[in-house]
Amino acid sequence: MTSPVPAKTTTAFFLQSAVSFGVAVVGLGIGIAYLPVNQWMRAFLAIGLLYTVTSAFTLAKCVRDHQESTGVVQRVDQARLDKLLTDHDPFRA
């Protein structure tokens, strides 16, 4: 028994995601820069943007790490089961 291989991300999807993220961050940065408010409000919004971006990366990393660790545990469990089934001989005396 082998587990299915997870689908790989295509280069086009990765590029689309990166460009979309860049456009969103740059667009919001420009919006903050041209907002008709004083410098303190702009600085607060810029720090909020920075915090949101870094926390999004951190969350994505945590989700990825959790999925990878779950996959490793499943593969180890599958290997143990395969070894147990291979070593089992119902006709042994």
Side-chain angles (χ1 to χ4, degrees):
M1 278 186 160
T2 61
S3 59
V5 176
K8 296 286 183 185
T9 303
T10 63
T11 305
F13 180 74
F14 181 78
L15 183 65
Q16 178 185 0
S17 299
V19 168
S20 174
F21 177 77
V23 167
V25 169
V26 168
L28 191 52
I30 291 171
I32 289 172
Y34 286 106
L35 204 63
V37 293
N38 62 21
Q39 293 295 333
W40 284 105
M41 290 180 148
R42 276 195 201 120
F44 178 77
L45 292 173
I47 293 296
L49 172 63
L50 182 64
Y51 180 65
T52 301
V53 168
T54 57
S55 62
F57 278 116
T58 302
L59 178 62
K61 182 186 178 308
C62 289
V63 169
R64 183 201 65 201
D65 290 348
H66 179 265
Q67 287 178 338
E68 286 179 354
S69 69
T70 302
V72 168
V73 169
Q74 288 175 350
R75 286 195 307 260
V76 168
D77 288 343
Q78 185 65 41
R80 286 181 184 157
L81 178 63
D82 288 345
K83 182 176 180 345
L84 184 73
L85 289 174
T86 303
D87 292 344
H88 177 69
D89 184 8
F91 301 110
R92 186 174 29 177

